[in-house]
Amino acid sequence: MTSTLATIRQTVQPELDQLNALISSALQSSNPMMNTIVDGFLKTKGKQIRPILVILTAKMLGEVNRHVLEAAAAVEMLHNASLIHDDVVDESKTRHSRPTINSVWDNHLAVLVGDFFVSTALDMATNTQDLRIINSIARLGKELSIGEIDQIYNARNHCIDEEAYFEIISRKTAALFVSCVEVGAFAVNADTKCLDAMREYARLLGLCFQIRDDIFDYFSDDNIGKPTGNDLREGKMTLPLIYALSLTGNPQHAQMNSLAQSETLDGKEIDTLIEFAKENGGIEYAVATMKRLRDEAVMALSTVDDSANIVPLFVDLIDYIISRDF
């Protein structure tokens, strides 16, 4: 039976408690306004899937130590920075039904707070005194930025292409998960022979995570905290619609393809494209893609030496990712 995320968390809860204390301490500053904003942001910790991945990797390949927690903190803070900056770029008012920093304070402060998270993440990485960890975090920052810019570029040029879609989500989402297993392994000086397999697992996990996130946009759910069709409203083409538009024999293809390439879409047009994707197997295709990637990820894990019996938790984690409701 697949474990829930709560069950997986229980196996690393002591380490997560230490991690959260470390992050809170690292982000304290001499400025009362900054502290107020940061404290408010940290009250909602989210699922913390990424630091869980760091800690599980370290547990499987060694023993959790201070450097593991510092590396996990660096990844989590860089991830949070990207969310804060994304909310500014997307002009988002809420994230998971909570007000964003930019909506409560303003864009200027939100950008500065995001920059503070980035700088603190790099500072935390340097505390490990491991150039491999520092390099992984630095490369991750580049990949996240390029992934976002690629997405904006493709949106403006109305790119409707599955290969381009996977290239974007490999950078803007999967790269983060890959960095998690890298720094977890580096922090315990693990044998690098299993690292390629863990990188491949993490890459596939990240792809599944983003595909599931994108599916949510085709349905209305208060848990998600964003309106249906938000991706289309921003010009982003995701897998369900890309698949439906690839069916060139469909009688509606020319009309829907033309609509998808419009400069702006109103609410009715967004609803039309969403229904087109759903009626033409887009959701089913995306779900089948996740299941295929899941099987490939499990195959990658089968080559890892797992004397600590952690691999079943990695399998449960990807199963949770593809079946989660929000």
Side-chain angles (χ1 to χ4, degrees):
M1 181 177 177
T2 301
S3 301
T4 63
L5 182 61
T7 304
I8 297 169
R9 282 180 65 95
Q10 287 176 4
T11 66
V12 294
Q13 194 59 57
E15 291 86 355
L16 282 178
D17 290 341
Q18 294 176 59
L19 170 73
N20 289 324
L22 180 61
I23 289 174
S24 181
S25 174
L27 288 169
Q28 285 299 302
S29 73
S30 60
N31 186 281
M33 179 182 290
M34 178 69 79
N35 292 338
T36 298
I37 298 172
V38 168
D39 289 346
F41 181 86
L42 293 181
K43 284 181 181 177
T44 305
K45 294 182 174 62
K47 302 179 185 70
Q48 295 198 300
I49 291 170
R50 294 151 192 87
I52 288 173
L53 195 54
V54 177
I55 294 167
L56 284 178
T57 301
K59 276 180 172 286
M60 183 175 72
L61 303 176
E63 294 185 5
V64 176
N65 54 41
R66 174 77 178 186
H67 291 337
V68 171
L69 297 178
E70 290 167 340
V75 172
E76 183 70 347
M77 285 189 285
L78 190 58
H79 168 57
N80 287 335
S82 72
L83 297 181
I84 294 168
H85 286 155
D86 284 353
D87 287 338
V88 173
V89 172
D90 297 338
E91 300 180 352
S92 300
K93 301 302 179 185
T94 61
R95 179 174 287 277
H96 299 302
S97 302
R98 290 181 60 87
T100 56
I101 292 176
N102 52 294
S103 69
V104 174
W105 297 88
D106 62 32
N107 284 346
H108 185 192
L109 280 171
V111 170
L112 292 174
V113 172
D115 290 347
F116 182 63
F117 270 74
V118 172
S119 300
T120 309
L122 293 173
D123 186 44
M124 191 61 65
T126 60
N127 285 346
T128 68
Q129 298 185 326
D130 189 326
L131 284 175
R132 298 170 301 175
I133 292 175
I134 297 168
N135 182 252
S136 181
I137 297 298
R139 283 187 288 107
L140 172 60
K142 289 175 63 177
E143 286 293 292
L144 294 177
S145 298
I146 293 297
E148 285 295 332
I149 292 173
D150 282 347
Q151 183 166 266
I152 292 169
Y153 175 85
N154 284 358
R156 290 182 178 179
N157 288 278
H158 309 294
C159 180
I160 307 172
D161 179 84
E162 187 170 326
E163 183 178 351
Y165 168 79
F166 275 103
E167 186 173 341
I168 287 170
I169 67 173
S170 291
R171 284 178 165 156
K172 69 176 292 240
T173 304
L176 194 48
F177 290 89
V178 172
S179 184
C180 287
V181 301
E182 283 184 347
V183 300
F186 292 149
V188 296
N189 286 314
D191 190 331
T192 56
K193 67 181 181 182
C194 71
L195 193 47
D196 283 344
M198 288 305 300
R199 285 187 178 110
E200 178 64 1
Y201 162 79
R203 183 184 72 84
L204 295 164
L205 175 70
L207 297 179
C208 288
F209 186 94
Q210 189 60 55
I211 293 170
R212 172 55 70 184
D213 249 18
D214 292 341
I215 290 173
F216 290 145
D217 203 51
Y218 290 78
F219 300 91
S220 180
D221 190 334
D222 291 338
N223 287 326
I224 300 168
K226 66 175 183 177
T228 299
N230 196 52
D231 289 334
L232 278 172
R233 195 169 286 106
E234 296 170 5
K236 300 172 186 175
M237 295 292 162
T238 55
L239 192 57
L241 181 58
I242 290 171
Y243 170 76
L245 289 172
S246 73
L247 305 175
T248 54
N250 189 300
Q252 292 182 288
H253 175 265
Q255 178 188 356
M256 293 298 108
N257 191 61
S258 177
L259 183 59
Q261 298 193 51
S262 300
E263 288 300 322
T264 57
L265 294 167
D266 61 29
K268 184 178 179 181
E269 290 168 334
I270 289 171
D271 290 343
T272 297
L273 286 170
I274 286 174
E275 288 308 308
F276 174 75
K278 291 162 76 171
E279 290 171 2
N280 288 277
I283 304 301
E284 290 81 2
Y285 178 79
V287 170
T289 300
M290 285 193 296
K291 290 179 178 178
R292 173 176 58 81
L293 297 175
R294 178 262 185 207
D295 291 343
E296 292 176 15
V298 173
M299 183 65 70
L301 288 172
S302 68
T303 66
V304 177
D305 181 16
D306 183 32
S307 56
N309 196 33
I310 299 294
V311 161
L313 292 176
F314 285 122
V315 175
D316 287 344
L317 185 59
I318 196 167
D319 284 340
Y320 163 77
I321 290 299
I322 66 176
S323 63
R324 65 197 166 101
D325 295 325
F326 65 97

